[in-house]
Amino acid sequence: MIWSFVKIAVFLAIVGLLALIGARLADSTDGFRLIFAGTEYTFGPLQAVIAAIIVFLVIWLIIRVAGLLVAFLRFVNGDNTAIGRYFDQNRERKGYEALAEGMLAVASGEGKLALSKAARAERYLNRPELTNLLSAQAAEVAGDRTKAAEVYRRLLSDDRTRFVGVQGLMRQKLEEGDTATALKLAEKAYALKPSNVDVQDALLKLQAEKGNWKGAREVLSAKRWQGLLPKDVHRRRDAVMALQEAKGVFEEGATIEAREAAIAANKASPDLIPAAVMAAHAYIDEGKPKHASRVILKAWEAQPHPDLAAVYAAILPEETPEARLKRFGKLLALRPDHEETRLLDAELNIAAEDFPAARRALGDLVTTHPTARVLTIMAAIERGEGAADAVVRGWLTRALTAPRGPQWCCDKCQNIQSDWTPICENCGGFDTLSWREPVQSQMPLPNGAEMLPVIIGRPDATQPPDAAPEPAKDYAPEQVAEKN
């Protein structure tokens, strides 16, 4: 209400002001003279103002008409005509239709149809970043790898499509088995888009296969910081790579760096058995048996393993069987009910010639889990207690066809390996080997079963085959077989 009153008052004030100015100009005696083409024109003040307004309007109208004429001429003679726009829109419609049909053909596996649609889309559209990509995918579906590679190379010339071109060429080289070129392309693709998961995985796999553990650890750290890997998985895999990096340094002769890397790998993942073994050996070489013992005890508590027992024995290689049995008591007490602990206890007692204790340590494993190692230990116990040769041969015969027990098995392809490696030798899986019994464990041991290396020494080779058996303090299974 008040605002409306204010607007009316302002309007009335402006009208009154203009009327006052007009009245003053009409009463004024001064004039305005204009001489044009020899003729003099005289205007009063009010007439002069009106004439100025009329001139301004005429000039403005001339400018607008001139602009309209120019626009009309550009419309008639230029590219942006109604007819031109019609044909452009028609071509664009046909091009996108061909592009959509080509994408559907690629999805349905019709390579030749997709190639023809891609060529049609390329003819109608001036969008190489779209049509080249469709052409490459269509060529791959059609099996024309040469055409696909040619199109991928064309994609390299455009900043918007360079990554797609590099990735496509990398994928082709991987399929061809050219891992050296694929690694270089993967590095370029990673530099263009470090957060791409497919490129990260491909680069990580290729670096691991080539033994570039330092670069692989950098990619693994990038995946961790981007939230693509859980913390525990990253710690485990980084420890695996650190272990392999340490082995590489060790092979080059830089033992100090190797020891430090092995120890770091063991600290990052104490349950990684190869890292624990290598770290323990590093401490032994440095003359630090207590540190080596602490590493082995911690790893044994996580997962008992024969390699851990072997390196624990290597701390004092010259000790007597009785002293070794006593020293191993701390290790055996960590996981007393574990099968590996019971087998190790039995073997240590056999080395100490305490065969009844070895039998007690073995317990009911002969019936509940009769592996080749269990049956071989049982044969050694029978031999040590003076059993008949037929009894010993019976145990050894069973051992030859019994399951081998826990081994390094790939969780991905179930491949069995004698030694741990970071990459499965069969399927190429990274960190897929675990110490367990294989799914099909009915694999007889070649040349019989073998004892743990903690039982050192050999029997007297000069003893005749038919001689009465001595209380075996360090018989190996194959020697037991030879004596029979």
Side-chain angles (χ1 to χ4, degrees), residues 300-304 331-339 341-342:
W300 186 273
E301 188 176 8
Q303 183 179 7
L331 184 74
L332 299 174
L334 293 175
R335 299 286 296 274
D337 297 329
H338 196 277
E339 180 176 334
T341 301
R342 297 167 65 182

Side-chain angles (χ1 to χ4, degrees), residues 372-396:
R373 185 176 168 197
V374 170
L375 298 174
T376 304
I377 291 175
M378 193 63 194
I381 293 173
E382 295 286 3
R383 167 65 73 181
E385 290 181 342
D389 291 346
V391 175
V392 177
R393 282 196 296 268
W395 289 112
L396 292 176

Side-chain angles (χ1 to χ4, degrees), residues 91-111:
R91 283 195 301 270
E92 188 177 68
R93 178 180 57 80
K94 291 180 178 179
Y96 279 114
E97 285 180 357
L99 186 68
E101 292 172 356
M103 294 174 64
L104 291 174
V106 168
S108 60
E110 299 176 275

Side-chain angles (χ1 to χ4, degrees), residues 122-143:
E122 187 173 359
R123 188 166 63 251
Y124 284 118
L125 294 176
N126 188 24
R127 299 291 300 277
E129 70 277 9
L130 296 177
T131 55
N132 284 338
L133 181 58
L134 177 60
S135 298
Q137 293 176 339
E140 287 188 345
V141 173

